[in-house]
Amino acid sequence: MGDLAPYAVSDINSNGRALVEPRPKARSEFQRDRDRIVHSTAFRRLEYKTQVFVNHEGDLFRTRLTHSIEVAQIARSIARALRLNDDLTEAIALAHDLGHTPFGHAGQDALNECMQGHGGFEHNLQSLRIVDRLEERYGAFDGLNLMFETREGILKHCSPSRARELGELGRRFLEGRQPSLEAQICNLADEIAYNNHDVDDGLRSGLLTLEQLEQVSLFSRHAAEADAEFPRLSTRRRVHETVRRMIDAQVTDLLAESARRISATAPGTLADVHAATPLIAFTDAMRAENRALKIFLRDHLYQHFQVLRMTSKARRIICDLFGAFVADPRLLPPQYQEMAASESVPRATADYIAGMTDRYSTKEYRRLFAVGEM
Ligand code: MG
């Protein structure tokens, strides 16, 4: 891990675990968190959960698992260059999507609609619920008993009313304080990862064309650079040479702007980081280019009719499953019936559905609704 900046999170300045445990023998506390996340059930399920493309549409597209690994790669590089805690950064990055429903944002929106009047559904809170409570692996506690700063990094957003229920962890949302720089890095590494891999997957799927992407300055600028260096590349290599330059430009910009802000603010301790404005950031110019890319992806990829067909099917699957379980909770597997008894039927149903992979939820839908299927 090398020499950490004084304002980095460390085993020493951490708020620690909710349940105190003996220190790990050959690892740091945050390496242990990372390892617990990698060994969790929710982490393995990320392989069969998707963001834009459903898993069965092709073997080459990103899943939430490969997405999380890409985020971890980008985030670690940034953390190390800024002398921050790259073990914590990696732990947050690998855990950041654990609470996602099947079928990406379509699934989350559908489940949130079903949960109106029952406390709503939000994937950040669900990621926290998984690591705090739902993973059943240890004798001494529910969940993974992670370090405070790992949990803080997982909880990216939170409404004020929810924040009040979360005690110490929610307090920063009420007091307008920033999370650690490691958490701030993961947030932007997530954005870098998905914007760029959605370009790549969009082209690979044929839903986006190179001609369309020429309208996006971040793409066209780097495609021109790739063409100047390698004039006769195949399309596949040209796309990769362009996308790698886009990622590099974003990371380089982020590093330079963040280093500038850190040196201007000169935090001495972690407490100074919490009290400052966000110190991990793009330049205004890069933020504008990123925004243009995001708008392009929304208009041309996320709202492509073929993606919307999937979205509409996902919504139906999630809503029908939810309706069936809430109408007759005896259809839930036993551990969720127990959860229903201790919390509520809708919350237990949301936990069950959110934990499903794309293909499991499709199978469950068939088991419940298809005639001739058991
Ligand atoms: Mg993500």
Side-chain angles (χ1 to χ4, degrees), residues 2-289:
D3 193 15
L4 289 184
Y7 42 81
V9 174
S10 68
D11 289 8
I12 311 297
N13 65 11
S14 167
N15 274 348
R17 304 181 191 277
L19 187 83
V20 177
E21 295 184 59
R23 286 183 55 84
K25 287 189 225 41
R27 299 174 287 181
S28 72
E29 295 283 9
F30 293 99
Q31 278 177 284
R32 172 149 75 181
D33 276 11
R34 188 262 328 273
D35 300 346
R36 285 184 178 179
I37 291 159
V38 168
H39 289 283
S40 70
T41 306
F43 185 73
R44 280 194 299 286
R45 286 180 178 154
L46 294 176
E47 182 175 3
Y48 296 104
K49 292 192 182 198
T50 47
Q51 259 164 299
V52 180
F53 299 92
V54 176
N55 197 277
H56 62 74
E57 288 177 333
D59 292 341
L60 299 174
F61 299 125
R62 267 71 173 185
T63 65
R64 288 213 182 263
L65 181 63
T66 60
H67 162 70
S68 300
I69 293 170
E70 288 182 33
V71 175
Q73 178 275 313
I74 292 169
R76 281 185 60 130
S77 303
I78 297 168
R80 198 171 293 191
L82 295 173
R83 294 199 301 130
L84 297 166
N85 188 333
D86 58 344
D87 293 326
L88 166 60
T89 310
E90 186 178 15
I92 297 170
L94 292 177
H96 85 282
D97 270 355
L98 290 179
H100 265 289
T101 61
F103 308 120
H105 294 289
Q108 127 111 16
D109 292 347
L111 196 50
N112 187 31
E113 269 170 40
C114 298
M115 285 295 286
Q116 288 313 305
H118 310 291
F121 179 87
E122 211 279 309
H123 66 85
N124 275 301
L125 280 165
Q126 190 68 14
S127 299
L128 187 69
R129 191 167 154 82
I130 286 169
V131 301
D132 280 358
R133 167 128 198 229
L134 297 182
E135 281 285 326
E136 294 181 325
R137 309 185 67 77
Y138 297 91
F141 46 81
D142 285 339
L144 306 178
N145 193 35
L146 299 180
M147 297 288 276
F148 180 87
E149 293 75 13
T150 310
R151 299 167 59 234
E152 172 196 67
I154 291 171
L155 192 66
K156 266 196 301 202
H157 326 280
C158 184
S159 68
S161 63
R162 221 12 103 74
R164 262 175 235 116
E165 293 166 17
L166 288 169
E168 185 58 25
L169 199 66
R171 196 185 299 172
R172 75 179 174 88
F173 297 99
L174 302 171
E175 295 177 356
R177 285 184 297 122
Q178 303 305 319
S180 68
L181 297 183
E182 288 84 352
Q184 296 180 36
I185 287 173
C186 288
N187 207 359
L188 291 176
D190 185 23
E191 198 178 309
I192 295 174
Y194 66 68
N195 282 333
N196 289 288
H197 65 50
D198 286 353
V199 167
D200 189 38
D201 283 351
L203 285 167
R204 194 190 297 275
S205 65
L207 300 187
L208 296 179
T209 65
L210 284 167
E211 294 69 42
Q212 286 175 322
L213 269 158
E214 288 298 327
Q215 311 160 26
V216 180
S217 65
L218 200 57
F219 186 90
S220 60
R221 191 151 60 80
H222 293 105
E225 263 181 33
D227 292 343
E229 193 177 344
F230 304 107
R232 278 179 299 277
L233 285 185
S234 65
T235 303
R236 190 90 290 277
R237 284 182 199 246
R238 180 172 180 258
V239 169
H240 181 68
E241 282 288 347
T242 304
V243 171
R244 65 182 279 255
R245 281 175 171 76
M246 289 165 63
I247 295 175
D248 187 62
Q250 287 167 295
V251 170
T252 307
D253 179 275
L254 185 78
L255 277 175
E257 176 63 12
S258 304
R260 190 190 69 73
R261 290 184 181 209
I262 289 169
S263 99
T265 306
T269 63
L270 182 55
D272 295 340
V273 166
H274 294 314
T277 52
L279 299 179
I280 304 297
F282 293 113
T283 59
D284 288 345
M286 184 57 84
R287 203 173 28 242
E289 281 203 292

